[in-house]
């Protein structure tokens, strides 16, 4: 797709952005409300659940559901089942029952393992942070969350969207749309200064940053 | 027009006092920034949820600390939740008291916990009253045809 005018690109950007679906997991009603607003401010569609179990149920990972599940980050369609797309999971660490770390482990050991998972906590515990990052969390965010924290998630969302779009048997146009979007979003949003060109350096920096929060 | 200017000044001064007195912190500003034409009542909605959450938790705390054998893990879990939600809306004094409260839980100190609960209830009541007043001033300003200064 050729970029003919700013309006065209903005439209594409808007429609692509609306495809970001975040699953937010937090046992606090107040905090769910704020998180949902923050994510919608970043043009994400949000599904909120109040526990790890509900999150697993939503992802169709509970025992009994798994055998039926064809859900994944790819867009391979099952003719019977509606495709479930989630681009990012954000979970609180301290929750009654299954905590954020347990949820992270379950997700990383499932068909959803390629979905970025971000863990949040009000407590700055280095060993906890390290544990989560080692288990595969993309980021560990300290609460209370602000818009700048949510902006840091853009690269992960884009990566997830691009990753899922790659599986669509589509014409070249779609790929070009993604590239344009990445450029536009990076230019418009205030992301953290460590803006990576490729995913790897950002992840490394993110993980190091997580560990450095003492 | 004078009326609107007066109301606006009243609101600005009142709001500033809440920050000066440490009742609210920067996080409350963050919430206000998330309020816009598409989300015109966001702050009131979040704060209402906070009131709901807090009242439930304070209730639970009272009951838990009345037990013959206090389950400090349970008490701590409730305080942790209260600390989290108060922090998320910027209710600074409530949040700070929760930190001390958790220390008493760790020490398995019932008396210390009860004392903290009283203090938290007092500070919660204060922030609730203050926020309700703030929202009332905002409504008055809007009803008089003014707009809330950002």
């Amino acid at each position: 797709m050729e970029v003919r005018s700013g309006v065209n690109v903005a439209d594409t950007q808007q429609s692509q952005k609306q495809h970001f679906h975040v699953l937010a997991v937090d046992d606090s009603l107040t905090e769910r409300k704020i998180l949902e607003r923050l994510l919608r401010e970043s043009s994400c569609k949000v599904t909120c659940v109040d526990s790890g179990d509900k999150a697993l149920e939503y992802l169709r990972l509970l025992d009994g559901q798994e055998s039926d599940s064809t859900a994944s980050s790819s867009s391979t369609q099952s003719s019977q089942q509606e495709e479930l797309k989630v681009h990012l999971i954000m979970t609180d660490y301290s929750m009654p029952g299954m905590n954020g770390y347990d949820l992270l482990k379950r997700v990383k050991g499932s068909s959803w393992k390629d979905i970025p998972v971000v863990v949040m906590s009000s407590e700055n515990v280095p060993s906890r942070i390290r544990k989560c990052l080692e288990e595969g969390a993309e980021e560990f965010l300290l609460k209370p969350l602000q818009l700048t924290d949510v902006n840091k998630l853009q690269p992960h969302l884009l990566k997830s969207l691009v990753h899922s779009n790659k599986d669509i048997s589509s014409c070249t146009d779609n790929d070009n749309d993604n590239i344009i979007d990445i450029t536009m979003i990076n230019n418009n949003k205030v992301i953290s200064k460590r803006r990576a060109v490729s995913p790897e350096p950002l992840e490394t920096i993110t993980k190091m940053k997580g560990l450095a929060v003492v | 027009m004078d009326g609107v200017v007066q109301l606006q000044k009243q609101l600005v001064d009142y709001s500033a006092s809440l920050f000066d007195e440490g009742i609210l912190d920067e996080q409350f500003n963050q919430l206000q920034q998330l309020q816009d034409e598409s989300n015109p009542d966001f702050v009131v909605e979040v704060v209402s949820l906070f009131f709901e959450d807090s009242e439930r938790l304070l209730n639970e705390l009272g009951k838990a600390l009345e037990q013959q054998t206090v389950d400090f893990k349970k008490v701590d879990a409730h305080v942790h939740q209260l600390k989290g939600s108060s922090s998320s809306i910027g209710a600074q004094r409530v949040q700070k008291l929760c930190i001390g409260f958790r220390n008493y839980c760790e020490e398995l100190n019932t008396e210390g916990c009860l004392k903290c609960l009283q203090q938290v209830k007092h500070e919660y009541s204060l922030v609730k009253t203050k926020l309700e007043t703030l929202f009332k001033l905002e409504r008055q300003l809007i009803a008089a045809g003014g707009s809330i200064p950002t």
Side-chain angles (χ1 to χ4, degrees), chain A residues 12-140:
Chain A
T12 312
Q13 184 182 349
Q14 196 52 43
S15 60
Q16 286 286 26
K17 271 179 157 183
Q18 278 161 9
H19 291 165
F20 290 161
H21 182 203
V22 182
L23 177 62
V25 191
D26 197 316
D27 61 314
S28 162
L29 183 55
T30 310
E31 293 177 65
R32 276 202 305 278
K33 170 98 179 165
I34 298 173
L35 183 55
E36 184 204 34
R37 177 74 189 93
L38 284 170
L39 289 168
R40 278 193 298 107
E41 183 65 15
S42 291
S43 304
C44 297
K45 176 183 153 201
V46 191
T47 299
C48 286
V49 294
D50 64 8
S51 71
D53 282 320
K54 296 260 178 69
L56 291 178
E57 188 182 6
Y58 185 82
L59 296 170
R60 303 175 193 158
L61 290 177
L62 285 184
D63 296 330
Q65 284 180 313
E66 272 199 82
S67 48
D68 302 328
S69 175
T70 57
S72 71
S73 60
S74 84
S75 63
T76 332
Q77 297 274 358
S78 147
S79 50
Q80 286 113 346
Q81 213 166 357
E82 199 192 289
E83 191 211 333
L84 181 65
K85 264 196 172 180
V86 174
H87 299 105
L88 176 72
I89 297 169
M90 285 189 75
T91 178
D92 189 23
Y93 182 90
S94 309
M95 296 187 290
M98 181 185 300
N99 68 23
Y101 175 73
D102 297 328
L103 178 60
L104 168 67
K105 271 187 88 166
R106 285 291 298 267
V107 169
K108 288 300 169 184
S110 77
S111 52
W112 294 97
K113 63 176 164 27
D114 292 325
I115 301 291
V117 179
V118 170
V119 182
M120 311 172 277
S121 176
S122 57
E123 292 171 308
N124 189 346
V125 181
S127 57
R128 174 185 295 185
I129 297 172
R130 196 175 306 126
K131 204 174 65 163
C132 289
L133 294 175
E134 279 170 7
E135 194 59 41
E138 298 292 332
E139 295 259 7
F140 192 102

Side-chain angles (χ1 to χ4, degrees), chain B residues 25-80:
Chain B
D25 67 24
E26 166 62 23
Q27 194 58 23
F28 190 77
N29 278 333
Q30 290 283 320
L31 293 189
Q32 287 175 315
Q33 282 171 32
L34 290 171
Q35 183 159 295
D36 56 22
E37 294 98 43
S38 327
N39 304 271
D41 301 310
F42 178 68
V43 180
V44 171
E45 286 168 2
V46 177
V47 170
S48 302
L49 291 176
F50 166 68
F51 290 161
E52 226 183 275
D53 264 346
S54 303
E55 274 150 42
R56 177 185 55 87
L57 289 167
L58 289 171
N59 216 342
E60 294 295 315
L61 281 167
K63 282 196 270 182
L65 287 168
E66 268 170 24
Q67 300 303 309
Q68 281 274 31
T69 320
V70 174
D71 181 350
F72 284 101
K73 258 187 99 180
K74 195 171 175 187
V75 174
D76 184 70
H78 289 322
V79 178
H80 174 81

Side-chain angles (χ1 to χ4, degrees), chain A residues 183-203:
Chain A
T183 314
M184 284 305 294
I185 290 168
N186 274 349
N187 285 340
N188 290 343
K189 292 278 190 191
V190 177
I191 312 180
S192 66
K193 286 188 186 144
R194 306 180 192 95
R195 199 186 308 153
V197 173
S198 78
E200 253 182 55
L202 183 67
E203 268 168 34

